[in-house]
Amino acid sequence: MARMQANARPESARDVLASLSQWLRRADWFLGLRRALVILCLADVAGAEAQLSAYAKTGTAADHVATSPVLVWLLVFAALSAALLLQWEHVRGGVIAARRALAHLPATIRKAPYALRASLSRRPAWRDVIQARRSQWQAAITSATWLHWISLTLTGASLLSALIASALASAPIQVLAAQWFWIAAMGLLVLAALAWPSARPFPLERLRWRLAIATVRSRNQPRWHAFWTAWGDWALLAVLLVTGLALRLPNLASVPYIVHGDEASCALEALRWLHGDVQTLLSTGWYGLPVAGFGIPALVMHFAGNDLFGLRLSSVIVGLLSLVLLYLLAREFAGRRVAFVATALMTFAHLHIQFSRSGIHYIHGLFAVELTLWLLVRALRDRSAVAAVLTAVAMSLSAQVYFSARLVFAIVPLFIVGLLLFNRRLLSGRGPTIAWFVAGMVAALGPLAAYFQANSNALNSRTNEVLILNLTPWMRDHLIEQFGTADIPTVLLRQIAAIPLLPTGLSDQSTQYGLHYSILDIGVATLVTVGFFYALLRLRQPVYLLLSVWISGTVVLGGILTIDMPDWQRLLVMLPALCLLAALLLEDFLHRVERGIVWAADQLPLSVPQLPNPAPVLATTLLALVLVGMSASWNTQRYFTDYPHQTNGDPWWTTYTDIGRYLGTLPSGTHFVLLSDGNLIADYATLRYLGPGVTGTHVETTEDLAAALANSTSPTVAIVPLNHVRDVEMALVSGTVLPPGSFTPHVTANQTTTFYIFTPVSQPSRMSPSGAADTP
């Protein structure tokens, strides 16, 4: 009786909770409820993104956010809830493990002194440690082959050459020999890495090995399956590259119509290469950027022509290569469908199309970051010495292209530290790989760092202009104008509060692009917003750790800490991470849909014909293609229709370009006089590049214009913007200020007029026909 009463006593609260938890896990209705909640949360996120996208059309920036806080909180809560529901088992397992660790924590703390004492008592004496290390070194030396010795000798020569290059680069005078020692250092180290014995020394060796294995396995398979197994990746890449080329190459010299001053400055630096004015790689050009970065467009212009088409063609090539790199990076972590979807999303992204068609080397920064991270992943996965050295070389390239690529110097160490914290075993046995990487840093970055140390203004000039923490008088005035305050914590908090709006709620604040639409379409933005929290819950997996660090580092260093947020040219480098993150989350959804299709097919009666095996995969692949197609339609509409409509007819955007294209039609040796109140200057880079054989001066009054025309000794034309047309007309009516001449509007190829042309009657008629159209 006592035993029965004991068994009948009420269970404890912990037992009840455990039983309830076990019942919830086994209940099919709970799984259905989770799925319904995920769909509801995704619908909420998509709805919030759709409402936020309306704000981007007004040109909203982080300093003038008019969005309802309730909408933003709903977006964040729904995205976090969806990520938690998708990762329910993973989160639950982590909570249980953490609870067990906390339960054993007091005992662990009590035992810590005894465990430490026992560990110290078992630790060998320092002499024994030294002897053990000496034995290991002796064994390594004894087992070394002649390839090891050749590699070590080349490494020593490389490091010596790098030290000499660093010493010469920091000299107060320019030493031409420094670049040759620098190049020799990198070349010798690459040879040393190639000579070092390794199972797969070259980064592409794995791809060739996979292809060979697939070819052997496909001999007994159907022909189409054999082709897909052996050449599927190449076929998908070919489709993506052809599509990307079709979006980027046609009408390249006229779309985009605007030739920004930064684009023209990059072109002028490339022309320095073509004219032989670059003497050494260890020197800087426009905006303190190393001249080596401008050698990329110069190389293409050497073969394609030193005009606007040749300049922009270099960006097209680099943009296509960045698509290849994204596909290769995605294939390191996932299958072909993920790689194809991620690359397709970036292929159609209007941001990528714009900077792949523009001669500004922003796309070079994206390419350098992708190259560095792909080589880093290959180096750590294959323990490849060559990939480790090439990673350092790619980081050196990142320091020589656009400033946003320098974010890689934060992404790489944070990724390695994250691996140490979350998945240390992935770094096990990779000490030699890290050593090769460090040697590569010394050889590839040492001389460049020495040069920048001796020329710190070139390194910090751009940072001093855009970094909020650098509170110069100009920065203080700029912050007060934007935010109404120069208090750094207040400004940073407002910048942080605008982060959830980045995918759809804010538009570009730069003058290089400035499109009044969101950076992502609603579907991709929904995946990215949920996917970011999804990635934070799976930091133990390298791909999600890398994407989290990549996106967070770019948002913080290229967004929160800089003025005029969001400036898309600074955030461009995280576009591959956003596309890959969206593709990975979509793949999770598609796998769940496939399992649902299989389950539904199993419930059908036996008399009903069963689905073929590939049917679920084909159905979900079709869904993925529908998402890509919707994204492609939205992006192409934004770039090829809305963007020209926004900018091409606006004089604020096109005046410099209109004048520059007109100057390019004038005979060499012509002089122009620009009448302006200071908003337009005669030596602007766009005018100097588009009108290379023309010289110009700037005046502010009609009296100064008359004097400039009288003193000119060469064929001269006066260019009058719209805000000064009335002044010139009154001066011509009076007849006492300006000499007689023709004063006509100039009609551009866009059938707009942004300036007038005044030509004295004494000038040759070949200056410009009245009202002639400017053909770009």
Side-chain angles (χ1 to χ4, degrees):
M1 180 66 69
R3 180 177 299 178
M4 294 177 61
Q5 291 178 355
N7 292 335
R9 66 184 179 183
E11 298 179 346
S12 64
R14 179 177 299 180
D15 296 335
V16 172
L17 290 177
S19 301
L20 179 62
S21 176
Q22 185 177 6
W23 177 73
L24 287 175
R25 291 199 306 273
R26 293 180 178 177
D28 293 336
W29 69 268
F30 183 62
L31 179 60
L33 177 62
R34 280 172 46 200
R35 292 173 178 172
L37 290 175
V38 168
I39 295 175
L40 179 62
C41 290
L42 289 176
D44 288 341
V45 174
E49 299 287 8
Q51 294 185 50
L52 292 175
S53 63
Y55 293 97
K57 298 178 183 180
T58 63
T60 305
D63 55 327
H64 292 96
V65 176
T67 309
S68 170
V70 176
L71 180 62
V72 178
W73 281 111
L74 175 64
L75 170 67
V76 175
F77 176 77
L80 178 59
S81 300
L84 287 172
L85 290 170
L86 289 171
Q87 290 297 308
W88 176 262
E89 291 81 3
H90 181 78
V91 173
R92 181 181 174 279
V95 170
I96 293 176
R99 187 175 62 186
R100 290 175 179 174
L102 290 176
H104 293 85
L105 186 60
T108 304
I109 294 176
R110 289 194 303 269
K111 295 179 181 179
Y114 304 99
L116 178 61
R117 187 182 306 171
S119 176
L120 292 177
S121 64
R122 292 193 300 269
R123 186 179 297 275
W126 62 272
R127 293 182 178 178
D128 296 335
V129 174
I130 293 177
Q131 183 62 34
R133 295 292 183 269
R134 183 182 300 173
S135 301
Q136 292 178 1
W137 280 104
Q138 290 176 351
I141 293 174
T142 303
S143 60
T145 64
W146 61 276
L147 286 176
H148 289 91
W149 292 112
I150 290 177
S151 179
L152 292 175
T153 302
L154 292 174
T155 302
S158 169
L159 297 180
L160 178 61
S161 181
L163 292 177
I164 296 174
S166 301
L168 296 177
S170 59
I173 59 174
Q174 194 177 71
V175 181
L176 299 181
Q179 70 168 352
W180 299 114
F181 280 102
W182 184 26
I183 295 174
M186 291 186 288
L188 288 173
L189 194 61
V190 171
L191 291 177
L194 286 170
W196 189 261
S198 176
R200 287 186 290 270
F202 194 70
L204 291 178
E205 184 70 23
R206 180 195 294 266
L207 190 59
R208 292 198 297 266
W209 176 76
R210 282 179 177 175
L211 182 61
I213 296 298
T215 304
V216 173
R217 290 180 177 177
S218 61
R219 290 174 180 173
N220 298 324
Q221 296 176 348
R223 182 173 299 178
W224 68 268
H225 194 279
F227 173 83
W228 179 251
T229 303
W231 301 98
D233 285 311
W234 303 102
L236 293 176
L237 261 178
V239 171
L240 292 169
L241 291 179
V242 169
T243 304
L245 189 64
L247 292 171
R248 288 157 177 80
L249 190 60
N251 303 318
L252 189 58
S254 57
V255 180
Y257 175 78
I258 300 168
V259 181
H260 193 272
D262 290 356
E263 182 178 13
S265 297
C266 293
L268 294 173
E269 290 295 332
L271 290 177
R272 286 183 57 208
W273 274 89
L274 297 178
H275 297 159
D277 296 333
V278 176
Q279 303 299 325
T280 174
L281 295 176
L282 289 169
S283 60
T284 54
W286 172 70
Y287 244 122
L289 288 166
V291 295
F294 303 107
I296 300 174
L299 178 63
V300 178
M301 293 169 69
H302 175 74
F303 297 98
N306 58 359
D307 53 3
L308 188 60
F309 176 82
L311 172 70
R312 291 179 171 178
L313 182 62
S314 66
S315 295
V316 172
I317 295 173
V318 174
L320 294 178
L321 291 176
S322 69
L323 297 179
V324 176
L325 282 177
L326 176 57
Y327 189 93
L328 294 177
L329 181 62
R331 285 292 279 131
E332 292 295 324
F333 299 106
R336 288 175 179 170
R337 187 164 64 183
V338 171
F340 178 82
V341 171
T343 310
L345 292 178
M346 194 166 78
T347 301
F348 292 107
H350 67 84
L351 189 63
H352 195 275
I353 296 175
Q354 159 66 12
F355 291 122
S356 294
R357 296 182 65 99
S358 174
I360 315 176
H361 58 181
Y362 300 147
I363 197 69
H364 300 180
L366 180 147
F367 169 80
V369 171
E370 279 186 305
L371 180 63
T372 302
L373 297 180
W374 174 63
L375 289 171
L376 176 64
V377 171
R378 297 308 303 265
L380 295 178
R381 171 166 290 179
D382 294 343
R383 307 182 187 185
S384 170
V386 176
V389 173
L390 292 179
T391 301
V393 175
M395 292 184 71
S396 177
L397 176 64
S398 301
Q400 300 177 70
V401 292
Y402 182 63
F403 303 98
S404 63
R406 298 176 185 178
L407 293 170
V408 79
F409 291 96
I411 298 174
V412 169
L414 287 176
F415 175 59
I416 295 176
V417 171
L419 289 177
L420 287 173
L421 294 176
F422 296 106
N423 208 335
R424 187 175 301 179
R425 67 178 183 82
L426 293 179
L427 295 178
S428 168
R430 287 164 176 81
T433 306
I434 300 297
W436 280 108
F437 174 68
V438 173
M441 294 282 286
V442 173
L445 284 168
L448 194 62
Y451 173 81
F452 275 129
Q453 184 179 8
N455 302 271
S456 57
N457 291 333
L459 179 65
N460 301 324
S461 60
R462 183 59 176 168
T463 305
N464 294 336
E465 290 184 3
V466 302
L467 188 64
I468 291 177
L469 302 179
N470 182 34
L471 203 59
T472 60
W474 179 88
M475 179 66 69
R476 181 183 296 273
D477 295 340
H478 189 79
L479 292 178
I480 292 176
E481 180 183 358
Q482 284 192 316
F483 295 94
T485 179
D487 182 61
I488 296 299
T490 302
V491 172
L492 292 180
L493 285 176
R494 292 184 62 178
Q495 298 266 74
I496 294 172
I499 291 177
L501 309 179
L502 280 178
T504 57
L506 303 178
S507 60
D508 186 21
Q509 301 303 301
S510 70
T511 58
Q512 289 82 353
Y513 190 20
L515 180 62
H516 287 174
Y517 282 93
S518 57
I519 191 173
L520 301 173
D521 61 279
I522 296 173
V524 177
T526 301
L527 293 174
V528 167
T529 305
V530 177
F532 181 74
F533 295 104
Y534 183 88
L536 292 180
L537 297 174
R538 307 185 69 175
L539 290 179
R540 289 182 60 85
Q541 297 186 20
V543 60
Y544 293 107
L545 174 63
L546 177 61
L547 295 179
S548 300
V549 172
W550 192 344
I551 296 173
S552 302
T554 306
V555 170
V556 172
L557 299 177
I560 296 175
L561 298 181
T562 60
I563 60 174
D564 302 325
M565 173 181 162
D567 194 318
W568 285 352
Q569 62 206 29
R570 302 173 197 154
L571 302 177
L572 175 66
V573 295
M574 73 173 180
L575 183 61
L578 297 179
C579 295
L580 180 54
L581 183 60
L584 287 169
L585 183 61
L586 178 64
E587 186 70 10
D588 189 329
F589 292 151
L590 296 181
H591 281 310
R592 296 171 188 268
V593 173
E594 289 174 4
R595 290 196 295 268
I597 294 175
V598 172
W599 177 85
D602 292 340
Q603 307 306 311
L604 296 176
L606 295 177
S607 59
V608 178
Q610 298 298 312
L611 290 175
N613 289 333
V617 176
L618 293 177
T620 52
T621 302
L622 181 60
L623 290 177
L625 293 178
V626 168
L627 175 68
V628 171
M630 294 173 60
S631 178
S633 175
W634 185 89
N635 281 278
T636 52
Q637 172 72 21
R638 298 291 85 77
Y639 183 74
F640 291 104
T641 303
D642 297 334
Y643 177 55
H645 179 74
Q646 173 188 327
T647 58
N648 289 1
D650 189 344
W652 189 89
W653 288 95
T654 64
T655 298
Y656 269 127
T657 302
D658 293 337
I659 296 175
R661 292 182 183 272
Y662 164 71
L663 295 178
T665 64
L666 298 180
S668 179
T670 304
H671 183 76
F672 73 92
V673 182
L674 179 62
L675 178 61
S676 173
D677 53 7
N679 293 328
L680 299 175
I681 55 177
D683 62 343
Y684 192 63
T686 301
L687 305 185
R688 288 187 285 121
Y689 174 61
L690 294 180
V694 179
T695 60
T697 57
H698 164 252
V699 296
E700 296 186 0
T701 63
T702 53
E703 290 78 7
D704 295 337
L705 175 60
L709 293 174
N711 296 330
S712 178
T713 59
S714 60
T716 305
V717 61
I719 296 177
V720 182
L722 296 179
N723 58 337
H724 284 281
V725 170
R726 182 62 177 169
D727 298 336
V728 175
E729 289 177 343
M730 294 178 62
L732 289 174
V733 171
S734 66
T736 59
V737 179
L738 293 174
S742 63
F743 186 58
T744 57
H746 181 75
V747 182
T748 68
N750 297 320
Q751 301 303 313
T752 59
T753 297
T754 56
F755 65 93
Y756 279 57
I757 302 169
F758 175 71
T759 306
V761 293
S762 59
Q763 295 297 327
S765 59
R766 72 175 184 270
M767 294 303 306
S768 175
S770 176
D774 168 17
T775 57

